[in-house]
Amino acid sequence: GQSLEQPSEVTAVEGAIVQINCTYQTSGFYGLSWYQQHDGGAPTFLSYNALDGLEETGRFSSFLSRSDSYGYLLLQELQMKDSASYFCAAMTGGFKTIFGAGTRLFVKA
Amino acid sequence: DGGITQSPKYLFRKEGQNVTLSCEQNLNHDAMYWYRQDPGQGLRLIYYSQIVNDFQKGDIAEGYSVSREKKESFPLTVTSAQKNPTAFYLCASSTGQGKNEQFFGPGTRLTVL
């Protein structure tokens, strides 16, 4: 079957750096996206990697290694408002996207 | 303002009844999606549509039906055949190009009584 694995929870302190890992197993793969979702809200897009390497968008960076079927989201200078769930999502072809179960990030003061 | 809307925000249904969730977008996106999210879970794909009058089953299509008669609209019907329909339902749209960034609506929380 197709699946994406990510840790269920991560805790970090304000101002720190945190990395959320994602490994995927899919029958087709075109790219890996990351979404943020606050409690009760809708997911919002953060970043996308189609090729190996690092993509940087402000305090957020995302990395992909296609040979390892692995990616991560890096959040720097953590703020309290970053407390949310983070989902990795794989584009598997034909517009279809499969989401991981999500990583809940707790940022402590 | 361009965006994607879902209605209603909260919906209660008696067991055995069909119910239709609305999803409308004015972003001129070709692709639209329906996801189900259960507490503490990820998003599971129910149906998706790449173009008007065409749609495909996702991973958990049983007990659901959709239509795509207009580019702007992608309603989801939760039928009585869906055994555990209580969940948070999210609609999304995208251009279907490049990074295929999906824009999500605010969601509908369905509770079956």
Side-chain angles (χ1 to χ4, degrees):
Chain A
Q2 304 192 93
S3 65
L4 289 87
E5 299 291 330
Q6 49 182 131
S8 58
E9 283 186 13
V10 172
T11 300
V13 297
E14 208 172 5
I17 299 173
V18 71
Q19 179 174 313
I20 299 174
N21 299 320
C22 175
T23 57
Y24 59 88
Q25 183 177 0
T26 59
S27 56
F29 180 81
Y30 289 84
L32 192 70
S33 300
W34 289 91
Y35 287 80
Q36 179 192 61
Q37 185 182 32
H38 287 97
D39 284 347
T44 55
F45 175 86
L46 292 176
S47 68
Y48 174 74
N49 296 69
L51 303 174
D52 286 1
L54 192 68
E55 293 283 340
E56 297 180 74
T57 310
R59 293 188 298 114
F60 295 168
S61 302
S62 58
F63 172 83
L64 177 66
S65 169
R66 295 174 74 106
S67 60
D68 295 322
S69 298
Y70 164 76
Y72 67 72
L73 179 70
L74 193 72
L75 296 83
Q76 302 182 72
E77 300 171 15
L78 278 175
Q79 302 175 12
M80 298 298 288
K81 68 178 182 180
D82 296 328
S83 292
S85 292
Y86 293 83
F87 297 91
C88 57
M91 281 179 60
T92 61
F95 294 20
K96 186 175 181 181
T97 302
I98 297 175
F99 282 76
T103 297
R104 193 164 178 90
L105 172 63
F106 297 94
V107 180
K108 302 193 297 186
Chain B
D1 282 337
I4 182 164
T5 58
Q6 292 183 242
S7 62
K9 190 172 178 67
Y10 298 95
L11 189 57
F12 297 89
R13 172 196 122 177
K14 290 184 179 178
E15 210 168 322
Q17 290 180 336
N18 292 357
V19 63
T20 297
L21 282 57
S22 168
C23 178
E24 303 278 332
Q25 54 100 0
N26 61 3
L27 299 168
N28 199 33
H29 285 167
D30 287 316
M32 296 188 75
Y33 311 79
W34 274 105
Y35 294 94
R36 170 183 171 137
Q37 186 174 33
D38 294 286
Q41 302 288 316
L43 283 68
R44 292 186 289 168
L45 184 63
I46 305 172
Y47 270 98
Y48 62 107
S49 168
Q50 302 176 34
I51 199 167
V52 174
N53 293 321
D54 185 52
F55 49 83
Q56 285 79 40
K57 292 182 179 179
D59 299 318
I60 56 164
E62 186 175 348
Y64 301 97
S65 66
V66 294
S67 63
R68 187 88 188 273
E69 297 176 0
K70 298 187 301 182
K71 188 175 186 177
E72 302 80 19
S73 179
F74 191 42
L76 173 74
T77 296
V78 184
T79 75
S80 56
Q82 169 48 235
K83 292 183 175 131
N84 186 19
T86 294
F88 188 46
Y89 290 88
L90 286 157
C91 180
S93 70
S94 72
T95 62
Q97 307 293 327
K99 61 187 176 183
N100 199 33
E101 176 181 350
Q102 294 188 25
F103 294 81
F104 284 82
T108 292
R109 194 166 297 278
L110 173 65
T111 302
V112 175
L113 304 172

